[in-house]
Amino acid sequence: MSEWLQSIELSQYIPTFEVLKIDGGLLFEVTDQDLDLDLNVKIRLHRVKILEAIKKLKHYIPLPVIQPAPALIEDAKSDSDSEDQGQIHAIRLPDQHEISASSPSSTEVLVLKAVEGLLLNNIYIVGQAGATLGRHTASNDIVVSESFVSRRHCDVKYVSPGHFVLQDVGSTTGTFLMLQRPTALALSLMFQMGLSEFKARSLRTGGSPALELEVFEGPAKHTVIKVGAEGITIGRDPENQFNVREDSQMSSRHGRIYLEDGFFLLEDLGSTNKTWLRLSEEGARSRETPLAVGDVVKVGTTVLTVLMPDMANFQSPVRAAAAQEEPVDLTKSIAEDVACKICFARESNCALYPCGHVFCDHCTANAHTCPVCRKSVRDRVKLFRQ
């Protein structure tokens, strides 16, 4: 918080903010009256400046909003490429052996689908009890049997109806969220491009903006990168301001950092292996990070995407699974050639204009850009099959 107040040149209010323990989540709730009466910001123009800066933060920092899942790893490698059609796992739902009309509503469950890794196509329905992820079979709800995954790696927690959070509980290799839109860099923020991992070790956004990044993992380990107001691009190609030719998992032009409205923003440039935000350092417990529909989580080489918790689709298969104690294929009734490549639970019936890529209207209801080609969506065309 002190760095943020310094960046908007109002450092005189740092002691008050620290005494009242104003953190990032609480900052978004601050009003003009709070600033005046509780935080003792008596100068009206200073209150205006703080509220405008908060408004910019809300724009740049990912918040729990509903958005469509991107076409990750080329349509999730298409279910038809795998003989394993996946299983549905209802994790610690109440009365799991007698699921009926009293089952949790769609706002009380989170649905995770594995789209990469050993758990490919498995679906996990997480209830209010939450779920643990890790390598150890006996102590985790979602077991990821990979050597790079810690025995207890991360947790998914229920907070309130419609709100779940993700927390790394001190893993060695980290828990990652895929970067889906330009995001403001903060001090100590870590991110991954290819095999390389970066950390913002110093940040100044005042009159002479400057950023220092340290490469703490990968072929360029221990390298320090200085970024000025002109920004940089990062990739394997020598034409980038920072290039790592030895990083086989990095794209030729992977991502960029640029300055806008006083913030250094991180953006993925359509890379193959994506850019990932790391939740915490090695062995450190992370803060609780909100999860939203469309978010993509990586643990080791396993990738999970958050789906819309449509209980109309999930209730019947789960009830059958509980009764028969057999795995149920969610996509059983949907032909692979017509299934939506985002949710795999509905038929593709909506074409995005002008690119023409087709998904279901449910998954693209809030899409501003196409999940495949990233072109702006100007209209949606409903399709009807004969």
Side-chain angles (χ1 to χ4, degrees):
M1 190 57 61
S2 60
E3 291 87 356
W4 178 73
L5 286 168
Q6 288 173 356
S7 72
I8 60 175
E9 300 178 344
L10 292 176
S11 57
Q12 63 267 40
Y13 299 113
I14 291 175
T16 308
F17 273 68
E18 289 181 344
V19 167
L20 293 179
K21 302 186 184 303
I22 305 297
D23 58 15
L26 192 57
L27 184 66
F28 288 152
E29 306 301 322
V30 169
T31 65
D32 183 78
Q33 187 177 18
D34 296 333
L35 291 171
D36 183 14
L37 300 180
D38 297 333
L39 294 165
N40 203 32
V41 183
K42 297 301 181 184
I43 301 175
R44 188 184 67 85
L45 289 177
H46 285 181
R47 296 200 299 271
V48 170
K49 189 173 185 178
I50 290 173
L51 291 172
E52 284 298 312
I54 292 173
K55 191 182 298 183
K56 289 179 180 177
L57 274 178
K58 288 181 178 179
H59 175 72
Y60 289 124
I61 294 179
L63 296 175
V65 296
I66 292 179
Q67 56 187 3
L72 176 72
I73 327 262
E74 294 304 315
D75 291 337
K77 298 276 184 172
S78 180
D79 282 4
S80 60
D81 293 344
S82 172
E83 294 181 1
D84 178 13
Q85 293 300 307
Q87 298 178 351
I88 291 179
H89 304 265
I91 299 174
R92 291 187 286 176
L93 291 178
D95 300 322
Q96 194 168 329
H97 296 292
E98 194 175 354
I99 298 176
S100 63
S102 63
S103 298
S105 71
S106 63
T107 63
E108 296 171 331
V109 299
L110 182 78
V111 181
L112 298 172
K113 178 170 182 176
V115 293
E116 272 284 297
L118 297 176
L119 305 178
L120 181 63
N121 297 330
N122 279 3
I123 292 173
Y124 301 90
I125 304 174
V126 183
Q128 293 186 26
T132 61
L133 291 83
R135 190 179 74 247
H136 190 239
T137 304
S139 57
N140 291 286
D141 302 300
I142 302 176
V143 179
V144 186
S145 302
E146 298 180 24
S147 58
F148 291 108
V149 173
S150 295
R151 288 171 61 85
R152 176 83 178 275
H153 200 100
C154 62
D155 292 346
V156 175
K157 301 178 182 179
Y158 172 86
V159 178
S160 61
H163 294 87
F164 285 79
V165 295
L166 175 69
Q167 182 179 39
D168 189 296
V169 294
S171 71
T172 302
T173 55
T175 303
F176 297 85
L177 272 174
M178 193 173 78
L179 183 74
Q180 300 190 46
R181 60 179 179 180
T183 298
L185 286 168
L187 194 63
S188 299
L189 183 141
M190 295 171 288
F191 62 94
Q192 181 188 64
M193 292 181 176
L195 301 173
S196 302
E197 294 187 37
F198 305 79
K199 179 180 180 179
R201 72 175 198 178
S202 72
L203 178 64
R204 185 176 67 245
T205 55
S208 179
L211 167 70
E212 276 193 4
L213 297 174
E214 178 186 0
V215 185
F216 66 92
E217 288 292 343
K221 189 173 181 178
H222 303 311
T223 302
V224 175
I225 310 161
K226 295 186 177 182
V227 184
E230 68 282 359
I232 63 168
T233 59
I234 301 173
R236 208 173 62 248
D237 197 295
E239 293 182 2
N240 294 286
Q241 284 78 26
F242 182 73
N243 63 83
V244 190
R245 299 182 66 178
E246 300 85 0
D247 192 333
S248 60
Q249 301 300 308
M250 188 178 285
S251 292
S252 297
R253 195 165 181 266
H254 199 108
R256 67 166 179 151
I257 296 171
Y258 63 99
L259 190 69
E260 184 175 291
D261 294 332
F263 294 92
F264 281 103
L265 302 184
L266 173 67
E267 181 183 23
D268 185 88
L269 296 176
S271 65
T272 301
N273 293 317
K274 313 300 179 187
T275 298
W276 302 84
L277 301 177
R278 180 167 175 161
L279 299 191
S280 62
E281 298 186 44
E282 179 179 338
R285 183 178 290 267
S286 74
R287 65 180 179 86
E288 295 180 346
T289 302
L291 280 175
V293 172
D295 280 344
V296 183
V297 179
K298 183 171 70 169
V299 175
T301 63
T302 295
V303 178
L304 301 138
T305 186
V306 182
L307 302 180
M308 182 70 73
D310 187 344
M311 292 309 289
N313 284 334
F314 286 106
Q315 204 171 51
S316 177
V318 173
R319 189 183 297 120
Q324 301 169 16
E325 296 185 353
E326 293 180 358
V328 179
D329 179 11
L330 181 65
T331 61
K332 184 177 180 180
S333 60
I334 305 294
E336 293 179 357
D337 59 332
V338 298
C340 170
K341 299 308 181 189
I342 293 178
C343 67
F344 296 95
R346 304 172 185 85
E347 288 190 0
S348 299
N349 63 353
C350 182
L352 303 182
Y353 177 81
C355 66
H357 289 113
V358 179
F359 306 97
C360 72
D361 53 1
H362 187 80
C363 289
T364 56
N366 298 307
H368 299 294
T369 58
C370 173
V372 173
C373 64
R374 308 293 177 89
K375 289 184 179 178
S376 295
V377 175
R378 289 158 55 186
D379 201 358
R380 296 165 182 79
V381 180
K382 191 70 176 288
L383 304 177
F384 297 92
R385 300 184 185 278
Q386 295 182 347

